[in-house]
Amino acid sequence: QQQVKQSPQSLIVQKGGISIINCAYENTAFDYFPWYQQFPGKGPALLIAIRPDVSEKKEGRFTISFNKSAKQFSLHIMDSQPGDSATYFCAPGTSYGKLTFGQGTILTVHP
Amino acid sequence: GAVVSQHPSRVICKSGTSVKIECRSLDFQATTMFWYRQFPKQSLMLMATSNEGSKATYEQGVEKDKFLINHASLTLSTLTVTSAHPEDSSFYICSARDSVNYGYTFGSGTRLTVV
């Protein structure tokens, strides 16, 4: 049973463009919705996270949107830069529980 | 911010030997730590959850006698891969949950190669 579905698998955008990655989940008990960024050979690093009591959170160029009724949340990267090229994972979880990782999205930003 | 130190970053060992990987939370107490395994171009797979002072909880399909986890203090957890074989070669990543400020911090990972 696949609890978390992330799309697309890969994404290519031009510098300055907008990158959008989506995550759909099934477990209604999830109450923590983070996005992680991972560079090759490194561990994931928290990019931005949201709680279910808000529908949107913005931190710099990164925005997370949350749709509780649709059980989806998304990551928007504005003004995408070559340095943003990495693998992105959604990993929803429960308070004091564990995270469930999506399949990952390989983002390539062309200069 | 919260920092998790993982060592070693790379290790090569001979088949049949054991390897220990350390995971330390440097500036916060972690009552719970997680161990993941990641194959190339794949997502992170949770292997086990360890709580300080108690036995680890292993995910289905993970051999607890092969992957020994110890979480003896609030800042240190170790993963020992016993009698390693080439198929155990992978990228192992630990994560620690801050018991005060809810959040998960990941280590930088350990690349294990068994020859």
Side-chain angles (χ1 to χ4, degrees), chain A residues 50-70:
Chain A
I50 199 168
R51 295 282 180 182
D53 52 343
V54 295
S55 60
E56 188 174 282
K57 181 178 181 180
K58 183 176 181 180
E59 290 183 354
R61 296 185 293 111
F62 304 96
T63 299
I64 186 171
S65 298
F66 177 69
N67 186 328
K68 188 174 181 178
S69 61

Side-chain angles (χ1 to χ4, degrees), chain B:
Chain B
V3 177
V4 171
S5 175
Q6 185 174 343
H7 291 281
S9 58
R10 289 178 178 271
V11 58
I12 300 173
C13 70
K14 291 186 177 180
S15 187
T17 61
S18 296
V19 173
K20 180 183 283 189
I21 302 169
E22 285 192 355
C23 181
R24 292 180 183 272
S25 57
L26 296 186
D27 49 4
F28 66 98
Q29 293 184 334
T31 53
T32 304
M33 289 188 173
F34 304 87
W35 288 94
Y36 296 84
R37 185 172 180 175
Q38 185 178 34
F39 291 106
K41 299 189 185 300
Q42 293 190 21
S43 186
L44 280 73
M45 291 175 46
L46 180 65
M47 299 175 65
T49 301
S50 72
N51 291 297
E52 184 262 339
S54 61
K55 290 185 177 181
T57 301
Y58 291 82
E59 295 297 304
Q60 191 173 7
V62 178
E63 299 177 62
K64 62 179 181 180
D65 294 331
K66 181 168 189 61
F67 299 100
L68 301 180
I69 292 172
N70 183 280
H71 191 168
S73 77
L74 286 173
T75 59
L76 174 65
S77 177
T78 60
L79 167 67
T80 301
V81 183
T82 63
S83 187
H85 292 285
E87 57 265 31
D88 298 324
S89 298
S90 189
F91 193 52
Y92 292 87
I93 308 169
C94 70
S95 173
R97 184 168 62 209
D98 189 334
S99 56
V100 176
N101 303 305
Y102 180 80
Y104 300 82
T105 303
F106 286 79
S108 54
T110 297
R111 172 74 58 196
L112 170 63
T113 303
V114 184
V115 298

Side-chain angles (χ1 to χ4, degrees), chain A residues 7-28:
Chain A
S7 61
Q9 279 189 306
S10 62
L11 180 63
I12 299 175
V13 300
Q14 293 297 124
K15 180 181 175 182
I18 301 174
S19 304
I20 301 174
I21 306 171
N22 301 297
C23 187
Y25 63 94
E26 297 176 1
N27 191 339
T28 55

Side-chain angles (χ1 to χ4, degrees), chain A residues 1-6 23 25 27 30 32 34 73 89-94 97-103, chain B residues 36 43-44 46 104:
Chain A
Q1 181 181 4
Q2 198 169 20
Q3 290 193 356
V4 177
K5 290 185 179 181
Q6 185 176 336
C23 187
Y25 63 94
N27 191 339
F30 288 157
Y32 178 64
F73 63 110
F89 293 97
C90 64
T94 58
K98 57 186 179 182
L99 302 177
T100 302
F101 276 79
Q103 298 81 3
Chain B
Y36 296 84
S43 186
L44 280 73
L46 180 65
Y104 300 82

